[in-house]
Amino acid sequence: MDARPIGLFDSGFGGLTVARAVIDLLPEEHLVYVGDTGRYPYGPRPLDEVRRFAGQITEKLVSDHDVKLIVVACNTAAAAGVRPAPAVPMISVIEPGVRAALRASESGRIGVIGTVGTVSSGAYQRSFATADTSGRVHLTCAACPGFVEFVERGETDSDQVYVLAERLLAPVVEAKVDTLLLGCTHYPFLARTISDVVGRDVVLVSSADETAFELRALLGDLELARPGPGPGAHMWISSGDVSTFRDLGRRLLGPEIEEVHRWDPSDLDPR
Ligand code: DGL
């Protein structure tokens, strides 16, 4: 048993989809969440810059918060390749999402949508090639620049996001996928719009639940679980405006977001 917190991070609010699943499945665990809202979006940035930001966050989680395990709740950071901190296990959302999509698809025609950084990195293409032992998968990947910005503004259901979705999702509609993997942790917040555009018979897969199950299994295997007593405490940290993080975060994740702490990465990395 290990009472130290679990660290999770994302460029902003997207990782809250994963945090929600972790709180629901593992309510006794302490969590520290970092949303790098001061530097979002990661998607259009060069991957080596994203890797550097992710390295700063993992270092903060380990040295300031003594986390026992890190969940990379950001596909773009995972696709960029986060350097693991010594002796701190790390999991990301990519492999769990791929597993869930393979389970959900009947036809093998699977779509993946993500940021420009994630799609251009080839991380999903490689992960499907490894996990698809049957060779039946026909993968269609599409980048969706602009989706993250709508979520970060709290605009999850507008006409503008619908028009953008119609344009960006055209390749997956044309490919007649039966399953669409949301390869960006922000996208579950746009699920209604996405489902409306691709058709409600297409199964939308978010990696959040599968990542939480993988986390539970790993905590068990490594004997790192916190059995209690009492529910876990949650700490929220933002590199952007803390009151925006609190207000929008409560709308997106729920009442567990109370106080939000400010972190200024420009102390480490003047821009
Ligand atoms: N939630 C991040 C992801 O899963 C969004 C990246 C961004 O900030 O563009 O990729």
Side-chain angles (χ1 to χ4, degrees):
M1 118 163 217
D2 190 327
R4 291 177 299 161
I6 295 166
L8 293 95
F9 75 91
D10 178 49
S11 64
F13 294 95
L16 296 181
T17 54
V18 183
R20 178 74 267 161
V22 172
I23 292 170
D24 291 343
L25 192 69
L26 301 165
E28 64 289 345
E29 292 293 342
H30 298 318
L31 304 184
V32 179
Y33 181 95
V34 178
D36 199 1
T37 42
R39 301 188 292 191
Y40 97 95
Y42 282 5
R45 292 182 184 272
L47 291 179
D48 56 351
E49 186 175 41
V50 173
R51 200 176 307 121
R52 186 161 54 83
F53 290 173
Q56 292 168 348
I57 298 171
T58 55
E59 192 176 321
K60 173 182 171 51
L61 286 169
V62 174
S63 52
D64 295 359
H65 302 283
D66 191 23
V67 296
K68 61 184 172 187
L69 192 148
I70 291 174
V71 180
V72 183
C74 175
N75 292 264
T76 313
V82 188
R83 200 166 356 99
V88 180
M90 188 180 274
I91 63 170
S92 99
V93 282
I94 292 185
E95 290 76 18
V98 168
R99 271 201 309 275
L102 287 171
R103 260 201 324 267
S105 177
E106 282 179 8
S107 69
R109 302 187 71 80
I110 297 176
V112 179
I113 53 173
T115 65
V116 169
T118 299
V119 171
S120 66
S121 74
Y124 271 102
Q125 293 87 329
R126 285 192 295 279
S127 187
F128 270 102
T130 308
D132 169 32
T133 45
S134 67
R136 73 185 183 110
V137 170
H138 180 277
L139 198 63
T140 303
C141 296
C144 295
F147 275 10
V148 166
E149 288 85 338
F150 274 103
V151 174
E152 294 277 327
R153 285 202 298 273
E155 202 180 320
T156 51
D157 214 1
S158 65
D159 290 348
Q160 284 83 351
V161 75
Y162 188 91
V163 169
L164 181 66
E166 279 190 307
R167 180 162 62 77
L168 297 174
L169 298 173
V172 294
V173 173
E174 266 162 41
K176 298 193 176 5
V177 301
D178 74 349
T179 301
L180 181 61
L181 174 52
L182 307 179
C184 170
T185 51
H186 281 73
Y187 296 176
F189 294 126
L190 301 175
R192 259 191 300 274
T193 300
I194 293 170
S195 186
D196 222 8
V197 170
V198 297
R200 287 195 299 283
D201 46 344
V202 173
V203 179
L204 299 190
V205 174
S206 144
S207 50
D209 284 332
E210 189 72 14
T211 302
F213 282 119
E214 177 166 330
L215 175 61
R216 184 175 69 177
L218 194 62
L219 291 172
D221 290 349
L222 301 177
E223 299 183 358
L224 287 176
R226 174 181 182 265
H234 310 131
M235 181 180 217
W236 310 97
I237 299 168
S238 164
S239 60
D241 184 71
V242 288
S243 55
T244 305
F245 193 95
R246 182 178 183 276
D247 295 347
L248 183 54
R250 282 172 76 85
R251 209 182 96 197
L252 297 173
L253 176 128
E256 287 86 352
I257 299 187
E258 290 171 344
E259 192 186 354
V260 179
H261 302 263
R262 168 104 173 111
W263 172 54
D264 189 355
S266 65
D267 292 346
L268 319 161
D269 173 36
R271 281 196 291 166

